[in-house]
Amino acid sequence: MSPGRESSGGRIAIEGLTKTYGGEADDERVVAVDDLDLEIEPGEFVTVLGPSGCGKSTLLDCVAGHVEPTEGRVTVDGDPVTGPDPSRGVVFQENRLFPWKTVRENVAFGPSVRGRSTDRVPELLERMGLSSFADSYPSDLSGGMAQRAELARLLANEPSIMLMDEPFSALDAMTKQRMQVELLSAWRETDATALFVTHDVEEAILLADRVVVMTARPGTVKTVVDVPLERPRGHDARTTEAFTDLKRRLLASIHDEAGSEFAAEAGARPATLADGGDDGDGDDAADSSGGGGSP
Amino acid sequence: MSGAATVARVRRSAATGATTFARRLEAVPRSARRAVSVLAVFAIWWALVRFGVAGFAFFVSPVETAAAVAAHLTGEPVADGGTIYLHAAYTTARVLAGVAVAVTVAIPLGLVIGTQRRWERFLLPALEFLRPIPPIAWVPLVLVIFPTVRLGVVFVVFLGAFFPVLVNTVNGVRSVDDEYRRAAASLGAGDREVLRHVVLPSALPAIFTGVTIGVGLGWVTVIAAEMITGEYGLGHVVFQAYRLIDVESVVVGMIAVGFLGAASTALLSAAVERAAPWLEGAPTGVTR
């Protein structure tokens, strides 16, 4: 909590959130999120961990205001979410930098369309190591740089809530780990509440105060785990006993979830996540990083 | 951070190194290819005349034409009067005026039709009915309703350029990625900012395609209209020379149209590169 910041973290309350997609008939409908309750404290960092297709992105879209809940509601500091708002910044898996604007113009976009000062933009570009790319177009950036620019664009708006939908899942393993630590230090300079969706167990632990494990079809909360690691956290946090303990517990929990369909068929629970955690959609990043840590 | 910055710098220099190399590789053969392409046209023309293929025996060869072009370029009057410069100026002015009006009307209209369903239902059926009518078919009507022939020709050019710009603008606006709208909305942009900062720039490549096609059709329609309406202009020159059996002047007029059309395309591409630098490296022209 740094003093002098205008923004302060928002309290997110998700109450009985249900989102279904598809047709009129019951058998044509897909329940993405089913009667989900979750409260997130101001300034808290919560990661939502779950297999692909468990509705975690839908959950995030509902908080962002991009998707309207079928039932239930999302409130921020007591006010219902009815649409997108600059107080709730979003970073997506694929960068959504405007290709027709330079990096500087992209980062300054929020404050400038809202008629606010863009004085912080150079500092943010510097902070994210993008100063020498300020006048480049997004097509000239690497994946990691593009996500840093996205993060800078979000921070320029000084949001009270940061929403992130697997922002690092398209990056290579090294870049991803560096970005996670950079995100943590950038977040610590704000008072913002963070909601971060991922299918990577290590990422979920490293970033979060609390990890919310989601179940697939229908998507709802399976368990919530506190992360007792001290902040600030760096790369060395990954090797602490508390971290590996937590990882083991979460892997077991996910196994149980994603593996249940396969396990039922095979008649046995798979021993590693590489076998059981892959739900067949090609998201290998989490599986390979998780597989190495399995006993 | 210094480590990351170094990596970034190395990446960048490697990238620019690669592009300059590719450019150098491309530059030489491309200009050579262009020269070959133009020369081939003249070679085929010369051969057709030389060997008297079909009616080409009665046609002028490139050599005689070159002399005629030189004479006209130094101010010798064409057909029934006026220098080639005067006629070219009339034709160019008509294309510019017609296309300018078309672009000014079609782009805003396209933005409205592309973004607002209500207006689409209201406006599109009428436009779809008018679109298939060839601009040239309007000439008789235009001669009646417009006070001057000059204004009438500009209107016909406008018709030729209007629909390509409109249709491409509508398509461009409709194909804007919703994710960019969402991102803009989450950053605090309202409808007007989304239109200005997301919809318009995102549709710009399609709009440029429309304008490029529009300018091309502008040249087509202006020549046809001038053939019918007479007065000044390259279309009038070509048709008048044909009536006077002045084959050389026919060809001079054709060459002038070809040159001006190609020049306007080149100018347009240069303008696009300035107006939309982020499209650098994207293929130019209508296929963009």
Side-chain angles (χ1 to χ4, degrees):
Chain A
M1 300 264 171
S2 62
R5 281 265 178 273
E6 224 180 278
S7 59
S8 62
R11 180 191 302 276
I12 307 170
I14 299 158
E15 298 159 18
L17 183 73
T18 300
K19 179 67 192 176
T20 58
Y21 290 105
E24 296 283 299
D26 274 353
D27 55 345
E28 287 171 17
R29 269 206 296 270
V30 176
V31 182
V33 178
D34 188 32
D35 196 20
L36 186 145
D37 293 301
L38 184 65
E39 281 220 25
I40 302 171
E41 297 296 314
E44 194 180 15
F45 201 128
V46 168
T47 52
V48 176
L49 178 65
S52 294
C54 74
K56 55 192 194 298
S57 290
T58 304
L59 168 66
L60 196 93
D61 284 342
C62 288
V63 180
H66 291 147
V67 164
E68 213 177 311
T70 311
E71 278 172 55
R73 63 174 197 162
V74 178
T75 63
V76 172
D77 296 330
D79 298 324
V81 168
T82 54
D85 189 275
S87 68
R88 279 171 274 122
V90 191
V91 177
F92 302 92
Q93 180 179 354
E94 303 295 335
N95 86 75
R96 304 278 157 77
L97 296 169
F98 303 125
W100 46 86
K101 290 187 182 292
T102 63
V103 172
R104 188 201 313 279
E105 289 166 346
N106 266 288
V107 173
F109 184 82
S112 60
V113 293
R114 296 165 66 212
R116 304 281 172 89
S117 159
T118 54
D119 292 350
R120 271 192 76 209
V121 170
E123 174 201 327
L124 276 166
L125 289 170
E126 180 71 42
R127 171 83 182 71
M128 291 292 156
L130 291 163
S131 292
S132 55
F133 288 87
D135 297 313
S136 302
Y137 285 95
S139 55
D140 293 334
L141 302 183
S142 68
M145 283 193 281
Q147 291 305 62
R148 279 210 297 275
E150 274 270 35
L151 199 55
R153 183 166 75 166
L154 178 149
L155 292 170
N157 248 348
E158 303 192 345
S160 58
I161 292 173
M162 298 165 64
L163 302 169
M164 290 158 279
D165 188 358
E166 307 200 30
F168 308 143
S169 63
L171 305 178
D172 65 85
M174 303 274 276
T175 310
K176 182 180 191 172
Q177 294 195 350
R178 204 169 62 230
M179 287 296 296
Q180 289 162 354
V181 174
E182 281 183 29
L183 168 65
L184 279 181
S185 68
W187 167 73
R188 279 180 63 82
E189 289 166 19
T190 74
D191 296 331
T193 310
L195 181 59
F196 187 110
V197 156
T198 181
H199 61 227
D200 180 332
V201 180
E202 285 197 17
E203 184 171 73
I205 299 168
L206 183 73
L207 299 175
D209 295 316
R210 277 193 298 159
V211 179
V212 174
V213 180
M214 272 184 80
T215 63
R217 282 182 213 101
T220 191
V221 174
K222 175 172 185 167
T223 174
V224 180
V225 180
D226 285 320
V227 180
L229 300 173
E230 274 181 29
R231 293 189 191 272
R233 297 172 194 164
H235 293 290
D236 46 0
R238 290 176 219 273
T239 50
T240 61
E241 203 173 320
F243 190 97
T244 46
D245 264 1
L246 208 52
K247 183 173 161 186
R248 198 171 296 122
R249 273 168 60 201
L250 284 169
L251 280 173
S253 174
I254 290 185
H255 261 315
D256 193 27
E257 176 48 37
S260 57
E261 294 166 38
F262 302 96
E265 283 170 29
R269 180 173 300 174
T272 69
L273 192 67
D275 300 328
D278 194 337
D279 50 357
D281 64 354
D283 288 323
D284 292 324
D287 305 338
S288 52
S289 66
S294 290
Chain B
M1 286 315 287
S2 74
T6 312
V7 170
R9 222 172 289 131
V10 169
R11 275 187 61 94
R12 194 171 50 148
S13 69
T16 51
T19 50
T20 48
F21 178 70
R23 260 181 217 147
R24 213 174 289 159
L25 204 71
E26 260 181 1
V28 179
R30 188 180 280 179
S31 56
R33 257 181 273 144
R34 277 194 190 137
V36 168
S37 157
V38 174
L39 283 175
V41 172
F42 287 95
I44 291 169
W45 173 12
W46 178 85
L48 287 171
V49 175
R50 172 69 181 77
F51 300 108
V53 180
F56 273 96
F58 308 103
F59 202 60
V60 286
S61 81
V63 184
E64 295 164 86
T65 307
V69 168
H72 289 306
L73 283 179
T74 52
E76 185 186 305
V78 239
D80 61 347
T83 63
I84 192 82
Y85 296 111
L86 178 75
H87 291 289
Y90 267 95
T91 303
T92 306
R94 286 162 178 162
V95 172
L96 278 176
V99 170
V101 178
V103 164
T104 313
V105 178
I107 292 177
L109 196 61
L111 288 174
V112 170
I113 291 175
T115 50
Q116 313 212 320
R117 286 275 131 164
R118 301 176 282 160
W119 285 102
E120 181 197 330
R121 289 202 193 98
F122 188 65
L123 293 166
L124 218 52
L127 294 168
E128 283 299 335
F129 171 73
L130 293 174
R131 189 156 72 105
I133 304 172
I136 292 308
W138 286 79
V139 169
L141 179 62
V142 157
L143 290 176
V144 174
I145 56 177
F146 279 91
T148 67
V149 169
R150 290 176 196 181
L151 215 56
V153 174
V154 168
F155 180 74
V156 174
V157 173
F158 160 80
L159 286 172
F162 175 77
F163 288 105
V165 179
L166 179 78
V167 171
N168 280 283
T169 303
V170 171
N171 286 342
V173 168
R174 284 201 186 135
S175 57
V176 173
D177 194 339
D178 265 345
E179 303 297 350
Y180 290 126
R181 292 181 205 257
R182 283 180 167 197
S186 273
L187 289 163
D191 287 347
R192 280 181 61 180
E193 286 87 11
V194 169
L195 186 69
R196 187 178 148 205
H197 294 287
V198 177
V199 176
L200 193 59
S202 172
L204 220 46
I207 294 173
F208 286 143
T209 299
V211 174
T212 307
I213 299 172
V215 169
L217 276 172
W219 282 104
V220 171
T221 48
V222 79
I223 298 303
E226 285 173 349
M227 283 183 172
I228 300 170
T229 59
E231 222 205 4
Y232 293 105
L234 293 172
H236 172 65
V237 166
V238 170
F239 208 66
Q240 195 61 19
Y242 161 74
R243 280 189 187 140
L244 301 169
I245 325 180
D246 177 359
V247 184
E248 284 171 20
S249 291
V250 168
V251 179
V252 169
M254 287 170 70
I255 287 175
V257 175
F259 175 78
L260 290 172
S264 63
T265 306
L267 274 175
L268 207 60
S269 299
V272 168
E273 257 168 54
R274 283 199 71 147
W278 67 90
L279 295 173
E280 191 194 359
T284 51
V286 292
T287 52
R288 184 197 292 271

